[in-house]
Amino acid sequence: MSVYSLIIPIYNEEENIAELYRRVRSVMDRLDESVELIFINDGSRDRSLNLIRELQEKDDRVCYLSLGRNFGHQIAVTAGLNFARGQAVIILDADLQDPPELIPDLLEKWRQGYQVIYAQRTKRKKESWFKRFTAYIFYRLLQQLADVNIPTDTGDFCLMDRRVVNLLNSMPEQNRYIRGLRSWVGFRQTAIQFERDPRFAGEVKYTFRKSFTLAVNSLVSFSKVPLRLSTYLGLFSAFLAVLMALLVLYWRLYQPHSPLTGFAAIMIAILFLGSVQLVCIGILGEYIGRIYEEVKGRPLYTLAEVSGFEKIPTKGDFHK
Ligand code: UDP
Ligand code: MG
């Protein structure tokens, strides 16, 4: 007999929780095995935690963690993975953009012997052109640069086998780009396609800043190409410098009155080199900042409350 775990990170999702539970429950009730439904409250400032507590009182299968403050989506999911006990673990967004009705399909693939089944978006409904455009560019850039093949247009919505979850749990990194780590593990992975629904209710919790940080994190965590960029830029500007020297020599010898040897040319050269150097230092800084984070080795999150993990759910568990 096996157990499935559903992991749902929650950050100010009070308008979504009731509908989310309704839809997840109707899927859970139809599954052949027992399920634990793990909510991770990521420092919500609204009524989310109270709503989760109420659900837990009604339903034995619900357990929850409440983090000490807002640690961000990836860390909230990490906390859920640390606590999940299922043989198959499914990560789901709280805003119903990832339809729970897809869970039986994910499980079907898992039974066929896949260790990671990720849901791939074929279409994003009602998201701004800016988000769609930047996401499009980002996923393709990441695929070009990353050391592992991170499939395009996949989110965190996926099913992972116990073996994969154990591996993720054993990774000590602070900068956790779960999609990347999941791909890094390898084994048998497959995709199922779906159309991503719009948010059921509430505001997007991933602000532009959070999305940008996630993008930089994923690039820096999974690629050393940006570091090499400074070497390439250095070589390129050395080449330009030689070219310029030859030109100046030519002008000196054959066209002593050329206006191009003046102030403007010097300014351009100074600004060009200055900015190349600053960009390179910035890129170095991104890596060094992350080394600093890792070296400190702080815990990934703090726990304010843990509830419902006393017993592993068995089939038939429902109302207390
Ligand atoms: N989330 C979280 N902590 C955060 C931001 C988001 O736990 O700091 C959760 C949020 O409650 C939701 C999921 O992460 O369940 C995805 O967030 P959102 O829908 O805002 O992101 P998007 O769909 O744009 O990727
Ligand atoms: Mg969303």
Side-chain angles (χ1 to χ4, degrees):
M1 211 201 71
S2 49
V3 179
Y4 306 138
S5 306
L6 303 186
I7 294 183
I8 309 186
I10 302 277
Y11 179 50
N12 298 340
E13 302 282 8
E14 59 182 5
E15 297 122 307
N16 290 317
I17 290 175
E19 176 66 9
L20 172 72
Y21 176 69
R22 193 188 65 75
R23 277 177 61 182
V24 168
R25 195 186 120 185
S26 78
V27 174
M28 286 200 308
D29 289 347
R30 272 182 280 127
L31 293 179
D32 51 336
E33 301 281 0
S34 52
V35 184
E36 58 173 1
L37 179 56
I38 306 176
F39 289 104
I40 301 99
N41 173 40
D42 185 18
S44 300
R45 282 185 292 267
D46 63 359
R47 285 170 31 250
S48 298
L49 184 57
N50 290 337
L51 295 175
I52 296 170
R53 285 201 191 105
E54 279 166 23
L55 288 181
Q56 207 227 334
E57 268 157 32
K58 280 193 306 197
D59 190 335
D60 250 356
R61 299 167 294 185
V62 174
C63 7
Y64 68 86
L65 306 168
S66 186
L67 306 187
R69 62 173 169 84
N70 178 247
F71 280 90
H73 181 207
Q74 302 292 304
I75 296 295
V77 171
T78 301
L81 290 173
N82 290 161
F83 277 78
R85 295 161 296 181
Q87 271 73 51
V89 178
I90 296 155
I91 302 171
L92 208 67
D93 273 2
D95 56 2
L96 290 164
Q97 285 198 282
D98 305 331
E101 291 73 22
L102 234 55
I103 291 174
D105 299 349
L106 293 171
L107 284 168
E108 184 51 42
K109 290 271 184 203
W110 178 66
R111 280 187 217 102
Q112 287 170 16
Y114 291 98
Q115 277 83 34
V116 173
I117 303 105
Y118 48 85
Q120 196 163 31
R121 312 180 266 258
T122 51
K123 203 170 149 191
R124 289 162 173 263
K125 295 182 194 158
K126 283 207 191 132
E127 287 191 277
S128 70
W129 69 266
F130 182 72
K131 174 133 189 174
R132 287 200 309 253
F133 176 71
T134 45
Y136 182 87
I137 300 286
F138 164 70
Y139 284 115
R140 270 126 201 106
L141 187 70
L142 184 63
Q143 192 157 50
Q144 286 301 312
L145 297 186
D147 313 329
V148 285
N149 180 23
I150 303 175
T152 53
D153 304 314
T154 56
D156 292 310
F157 185 22
C158 69
L159 182 152
M160 291 188 276
D161 183 72
R162 171 58 26 203
R163 255 206 289 174
V164 176
V165 174
N166 286 346
L167 281 166
L168 291 194
N169 286 343
S170 72
M171 295 180 189
E173 12 205 317
Q174 306 268 324
N175 276 303
R176 304 184 81 83
Y177 183 60
I178 289 171
R179 283 159 244 182
L181 299 176
R182 181 177 82 193
S183 301
W184 182 89
V185 170
F187 299 139
R188 291 186 71 200
Q189 310 213 355
T190 188
I192 61 168
Q193 253 106 37
F194 79 114
E195 294 192 358
R196 196 161 203 233
D197 291 326
R199 217 169 208 286
F200 178 72
E203 297 278 298
V204 178
K205 305 302 178 305
Y206 260 96
T207 53
F208 177 72
R209 218 177 101 199
K210 277 189 177 170
S211 300
F212 187 73
T213 307
L214 186 73
V216 175
N217 256 339
S218 59
L219 282 174
V220 174
S221 301
F222 285 93
S223 176
K224 288 188 282 294
V225 176
L227 280 175
R228 224 170 292 145
L229 199 69
S230 49
T231 317
Y232 295 148
L233 280 173
L235 288 175
F236 177 66
S237 66
F239 171 73
L240 282 188
V242 171
L243 211 67
M244 196 69 197
L246 289 177
L247 261 181
V248 170
L249 202 65
Y250 171 80
W251 284 325
R252 262 295 152 88
L253 294 178
Y254 301 105
Q255 291 183 328
H257 301 298
S258 168
L260 274 170
T261 50
F263 178 70
I266 292 173
M267 276 312 282
I268 290 171
I270 290 177
L271 288 179
F272 174 73
L273 280 179
S275 46
V276 164
Q277 284 170 1
L278 286 178
V279 167
C280 293
I281 292 174
I283 293 174
L284 273 179
E286 291 291 340
Y287 285 85
I288 292 174
R290 279 167 184 77
I291 297 173
Y292 180 53
E293 287 294 318
E294 299 294 341
V295 166
K296 279 191 287 190
R298 290 193 186 143
L300 294 173
Y301 51 86
T302 58
L303 285 170
E305 212 178 312
V306 178
S307 180
F309 291 92
E310 296 81 20
K311 74 187 238 308
I312 297 180
T314 48
K315 183 80 187 138
D317 258 355
F318 179 51
H319 286 293
K320 277 186 181 158

